[in-house]
Amino acid sequence: GGDKALQASGAQLRQATRGYVVASVNYRLTGVASHPAQIHDCKAAIRWLRLHAAEYRIDPDRVGAWGSSAGGHLVALLGTSGDVPALEGSENPGASSRVSAVVDWYGPSDLPNMQAQGLPCSGDHSSAASPEGKLVGCAIPDCLEKAREASPISWVSSDDPPFHIVHGAADCTVPPLQSQTLHDALFAAGVDSSLTLIPGAGHGGPQFSDATNRPLLEAFLDRTVRDAGTPTRWIVPSVARIAGSGGTFWTTSLAIANPGPAGASVALRFLGHDADGTEGPSQALSLAAGESVTYEDVLGDVFGIPEGYGALAVTSAIPSLALLAQTSTPGSGGTFGQAVPAFGPSDLVTAD
């Protein structure tokens, strides 16, 4: 990796036909310089892309990173070290080097533990002559601090971008446990992370972009890069606060849950009887990952509407919200309504 003169990846070039701008990064190899030169070069490349975004029609707020093997190590380090000044470098100042998403194919993540995690077929990961030793410039046991600094797992934090990690379960070059432990650390920190271990696959091969795994990859890219920040809008067609007999009211309760892994901003807008998008009163709220909120009388509690009925719009950039709307019947204590998964079939809530 590291040289654009090498054969291009068909799986990556395919994304250019799907509407993505694809850029290939040169970085210094270990025969020229040791860590942190490689990550400095990658971060300089991300900053250059942002500084030239208008020229190449790039959205600077949606930049993903994808790499395999040594490239997988570097994109994972891009993802976890966005807040580590020592790994930034100085070229192309004036723009951020953070990325919106990471696709890590079988990259090393924890250099000090590679030797212990190796399969029976694995080679040397600790001597000065090993690929990892060449990266840090010495035998791993002799420079553990530098090896930890070069390890993506060392910098995992809750503000890291989403990760899609794929590794061959029979990889003799990079132990599969390198991806497993990185995924576990990301998940524990509350980061959106997925891991696929491909049975029988080694260090690369056609299985990584076959009919099973390519759709997972492209769905991840579309969700985290192409559609990132695009709001999803649900319509609750019937909400009410209508006076019944004896001072009772028909009222609609609304529960909203955010399953995570990130916080969600949610906008609620009362649309009126015909749900035609007419401007109506609105309210905004924030839900942390795993948090939920319930309004027993959404029109009264949220909008202060003494009496009315119509539709309600719920909008958020988090597409995985779970909604439940129920309308009570005065006198009977009964309700009608149902729990609605974000994109599940329903007559009650629809997603635009």
Side-chain angles (χ1 to χ4, degrees):
D3 189 342
K4 286 188 287 191
L6 298 174
Q7 182 177 0
S9 165
Q12 292 162 350
L13 288 179
R14 169 182 158 82
Q15 305 314 311
T17 70
R18 301 181 63 242
Y20 290 88
V21 176
V22 178
S24 181
V25 175
N26 277 350
Y27 59 85
R28 284 169 285 177
L29 302 180
T30 55
V32 176
S34 61
H35 171 82
Q38 294 74 21
I39 190 63
H40 283 179
D41 290 350
C42 291
K43 293 196 174 208
I46 298 295
R47 290 191 292 266
W48 188 93
L49 287 171
R50 285 201 165 97
L51 292 170
H52 293 82
E55 180 181 352
Y56 291 98
R57 301 179 66 186
I58 297 169
D59 184 342
D61 296 325
R62 293 186 289 179
V63 178
W66 179 359
S68 56
S69 194
H73 162 256
L74 288 169
V75 298
L77 194 54
L78 278 173
T80 62
S81 69
D83 52 358
V84 183
L87 300 183
E88 283 297 318
S90 58
E91 288 192 45
N92 304 324
S96 171
S97 67
R98 285 183 176 265
V99 294
S100 306
V102 171
V103 176
D104 168 12
W105 279 3
Y106 46 90
S109 70
D110 184 1
L111 303 189
N113 289 308
M114 280 190 73
Q115 191 68 46
Q117 292 177 346
L119 299 177
C121 59
S122 296
D124 173 23
H125 295 296
S126 63
S127 74
S130 69
E132 296 73 29
K134 291 178 179 179
L135 175 64
V136 297
C138 53
I140 299 298
D142 296 337
C143 51
L144 284 176
E145 183 175 350
K146 193 170 184 181
R148 292 189 184 103
E149 182 186 86
S151 298
I153 201 169
S154 299
W155 308 109
V156 169
S157 58
S158 61
D159 62 346
D160 292 343
F163 271 66
H164 179 71
I165 307 170
V166 189
H167 210 121
D171 191 334
C172 296
T173 304
V174 175
L177 274 174
Q178 289 281 294
S179 286
Q180 181 70 65
T181 55
L182 176 60
H183 167 69
D184 292 345
L186 290 164
F187 187 82
V191 178
D192 178 355
S193 177
S194 62
L195 170 65
T196 300
L197 292 174
I198 304 177
H203 197 64
Q207 302 100 313
F208 286 82
S209 53
D210 65 13
T212 298
N213 291 297
R214 188 175 72 190
L216 299 177
L217 162 72
E218 294 182 349
F220 172 81
L221 288 175
D222 293 348
R223 175 175 65 86
T224 59
V225 180
R226 187 192 67 185
D227 300 333
T230 301
T232 299
R233 186 169 182 258
W234 297 265
I235 300 294
V236 184
S238 179
V239 293
R241 193 173 198 274
I242 303 173
S245 61
T248 61
F249 279 85
W250 294 65
T251 57
T252 301
S253 67
L254 177 69
I256 307 173
N258 175 23
S265 295
V266 182
L268 306 177
R269 184 179 293 278
F270 182 55
L271 298 179
H273 175 64
D274 57 3
D276 62 358
T278 303
E279 287 294 310
S282 64
Q283 289 289 339
L285 64 140
S286 296
L287 293 177
E291 185 181 4
S292 62
V293 63
T294 299
Y295 302 103
E296 296 298 336
D297 174 6
V298 65
L299 292 189
D301 295 346
V302 176
F303 301 109
I305 294 174
E307 188 169 1
Y309 68 99
L312 180 71
V314 181
T315 306
S316 177
I318 303 295
S320 56
L321 294 181
L323 307 176
L324 168 61
Q326 293 182 310
T327 299
S328 64
T329 306
S332 70
T335 62
F336 61 89
Q338 60 179 322
V340 184
F343 290 104
S346 171
D347 294 330
L348 179 65
V349 178
T350 58
D352 285 355

